[in-house]
Amino acid sequence: MRILYLLQDLPYPPTNGVRVKVFNVISYMAETHECHILSFGDKNLRSRAQEFQQKVPGIRILNFFPLCSGLKLQLSRLAHLMHGEPVFLARWDDKAFAKRVEEALGATRYDLVHLDALGVAPYVHLCQHIPTVISTTDAVSLAYKRAARASHCFLRKIYRLFASRSIARFERNILPLFSKVHVVSKPERNYLSSHVPGAAVECIEHVVPDEILRYPNRTSCFLSDNKRILFTGVLSSESIAPGLLAFLSIAYPVICQKCPDVEMTILGRNAPAKIKKKIINIPGIRFLEWAEDYCAELIKPEVIIFLDRSGTGVKTRVLYALGLGKAVVASPVALEGIEVRDGTHCFEREVGVGFAEAVISLLNNPELRKIMGQNAKRLIQDKYSMETTGPKWVKLYESAISKNLRKTMWSR
């Protein structure tokens, strides 16, 4: 296959869930297929593109474009708002990008065009008569709806509800135009299939990179008498920070009472000053805003906790912890879309005394940590590795091409 990728973000370095997904899919496809790329990006685009090209030599980056910003962005947002369109689309509304897409399609015969994320979805109108796949990763309107429910700020809640309705309308209009729509979990697939009946939605699981699965795990974390807990998450998020604060006020004191020698590390990016002050005033807690080697921090503790209260899609950081063979205790929201079994691969608990008891049982039982960690790693290897998901992407692309061919023959 010859595939043209239209990307919302240049996926290198693969530092977040969407970049990891795109980087791994393109790397896999480039081994046996011809992959061309047109992409947006936020900064250091030239050096990032060069590094991406060196890392995956089989790709051909046709061009890359900076995101719309400044006054132009504000005017574009206003125009989208007046037309009843999601305002976030303004950041990827670029005539130069559209022209380059048309040039690429005119110069080369592509078997398929993959558009990644809703930001570039409007460019599907340039891809008439060519099979198209869009990967939205998550159901975006559902994410905004849940974020609105989680918000404690009235104005922010109203804005997110408005945005959710606007995005839902956009999804209903745009997604049926694609041959196939991809999401990373069954809850997203079920939501979009119901919400956009005309869309051909399919689920392919998120990918855990091979370097995570091959990362050297120390058996000392299973056998050690240390009692170390790690929390990791973006603390500017209203779906994550409240869960951490609830844990610190309800569950953490119970853990400290039963395990006086417990040590806790909070690895939390973008912490608001108020939250950061609360954290650093709690005795026995080590606070980090950034880790040079993220995996090294995940390997150290005996137990890793995830406390998400809302959100959609699969949480990459949860998959990484499971893929490293760690003992995990997480809220149901943090585990949504991951096919784990409570008590086998991890403990699933709402934040409260039950959460504390699950953490304590793991801290006090090295054998349980070992068994649960091994089960978790095996699950990720079997279901969330590129070896498993790669063939699914090939099948998705081939089914999009077949669907488009049948549609073309029928129209004749």
Side-chain angles (χ1 to χ4, degrees):
M1 284 182 282
R2 184 181 293 124
I3 308 162
L4 175 62
Y5 288 90
L6 306 182
L7 306 181
Q8 183 174 290
D9 182 30
L10 197 67
Y12 198 86
T15 50
N16 60 46
V18 175
R19 284 188 183 181
V20 167
K21 177 203 71 180
V22 178
F23 176 81
N24 281 283
V25 170
I26 293 178
S27 298
Y28 181 86
M29 296 304 299
E31 292 178 1
T32 51
H33 302 276
E34 190 175 338
C35 300
H36 297 183
I37 296 168
L38 286 168
S39 180
F40 287 96
D42 55 353
K43 58 184 177 180
N44 304 323
L45 279 176
R46 186 169 299 279
S47 61
R48 285 170 54 199
Q50 290 173 347
E51 291 170 1
F52 186 21
Q53 184 79 66
Q54 291 169 1
K55 195 74 175 177
V56 189
I59 62 174
R60 181 182 170 196
I61 300 178
L62 304 180
N63 213 334
F64 44 84
F65 296 79
L67 295 168
C68 183
S69 60
L71 179 60
K72 182 181 176 182
L73 175 60
Q74 300 309 318
L75 292 174
S76 183
R77 281 174 172 166
L78 181 60
H80 280 81
L81 183 64
M82 292 176 65
H83 285 93
E85 299 171 341
V87 294
F88 74 81
L89 293 175
R91 195 168 286 278
W92 293 275
D93 189 353
D94 190 310
K95 291 180 180 178
F97 185 86
K99 182 180 179 181
R100 189 65 183 89
V101 172
E102 289 179 319
E103 290 173 352
L105 294 175
T108 306
R109 183 182 177 88
Y110 290 101
D111 297 297
L112 178 120
V113 181
H114 174 134
L115 298 89
D116 208 88
L118 280 186
V120 294
Y123 295 103
V124 70
H125 294 291
L126 303 176
C127 308
Q128 296 180 15
H129 311 305
I130 302 175
T132 52
V133 168
I134 185 167
S135 174
T136 67
T137 304
D138 306 339
V140 181
S141 60
L142 179 61
Y144 272 80
K145 189 182 298 184
R146 289 182 174 180
R149 285 202 296 263
S151 179
H152 298 292
C153 172
F154 178 75
L155 292 178
R156 198 172 290 139
K157 184 185 290 288
I158 294 300
Y159 165 75
R160 286 174 175 165
L161 284 172
F162 173 80
S164 174
R165 292 187 183 126
S166 172
I167 295 167
R169 185 167 57 248
F170 177 70
E171 289 170 337
R172 285 193 294 270
N173 291 334
I174 201 81
L175 294 184
L177 301 180
F178 290 88
S179 307
K180 294 288 181 177
V181 178
H182 163 258
V183 291
V184 297
S185 75
K186 291 177 181 177
E188 263 72 31
R189 183 193 63 190
N190 296 341
Y191 168 82
L192 283 180
S193 296
S194 172
H195 160 58
V196 189
V201 188
E202 296 194 20
C203 168
I204 299 176
E205 296 82 2
H206 224 320
V207 175
V208 176
D210 286 343
E211 50 265 35
I212 298 294
L213 297 174
R214 293 195 303 262
Y215 198 90
N217 201 342
R218 300 179 307 181
T219 56
S220 60
C221 66
F222 299 131
L223 307 176
S224 171
D225 290 330
N226 292 328
K227 293 179 172 54
R228 294 169 294 188
I229 305 170
L230 173 71
F231 162 88
T232 177
V234 179
L235 291 179
S236 57
S237 169
E238 287 184 302
S239 67
I240 296 175
L244 174 62
L245 295 178
F247 170 83
L248 293 175
S249 64
I250 301 170
Y252 187 61
V254 176
I255 296 170
C256 290
Q257 184 179 12
K258 297 289 181 68
C259 304
D261 52 345
V262 68
E263 302 172 22
M264 181 167 181
T265 296
I266 294 175
L267 177 53
R269 292 190 290 119
N270 304 334
K274 186 183 293 186
I275 292 176
K276 185 176 178 180
K277 185 177 179 180
K278 286 182 179 180
I279 292 171
I280 61 178
N281 284 333
I282 299 174
I285 289 183
R286 171 178 172 245
F287 178 67
L288 298 175
E289 295 186 72
W290 174 256
E292 196 66 38
D293 187 338
Y294 183 64
C295 287
E297 288 298 326
L298 292 183
I299 285 294
K300 290 177 185 176
E302 280 63 47
V303 179
I304 302 180
I305 61 173
F306 298 97
L307 304 157
D308 302 52
R309 283 192 161 182
S310 70
T312 57
V314 174
K315 314 300 182 291
T316 307
R317 63 191 191 282
V318 180
L319 288 177
Y320 279 23
L322 296 170
L324 288 167
K326 302 303 299 182
V328 167
V329 184
S331 65
V333 170
L335 294 170
E336 186 178 38
I338 306 175
E339 296 186 16
V340 293
R341 290 197 303 273
D342 177 37
T344 299
H345 305 107
C346 60
F347 282 131
E348 180 178 330
R349 299 287 187 274
E350 294 286 359
V351 178
V353 175
F355 196 102
E357 290 172 347
V359 172
I360 292 166
S361 68
L362 287 168
L363 290 175
N364 288 331
N365 192 332
E367 187 63 25
L368 177 60
R369 293 200 302 270
K370 181 178 179 180
I371 293 171
M372 192 170 281
Q374 289 173 340
N375 290 340
K377 189 177 185 72
R378 194 176 302 115
L379 171 72
I380 300 301
Q381 289 172 329
D382 292 345
K383 197 165 183 65
Y384 297 91
S385 68
M386 203 64 221
E387 184 178 350
T388 301
T389 59
K392 293 182 180 180
W393 277 100
V394 174
K395 186 177 179 180
L396 177 68
Y397 287 170
E398 290 175 344
S399 66
I401 293 170
S402 297
K403 180 183 178 182
N404 194 75
L405 181 62
R406 290 194 301 271
K407 183 180 177 182
T408 303
M409 293 176 65
W410 182 258
S411 65
R412 292 175 183 174

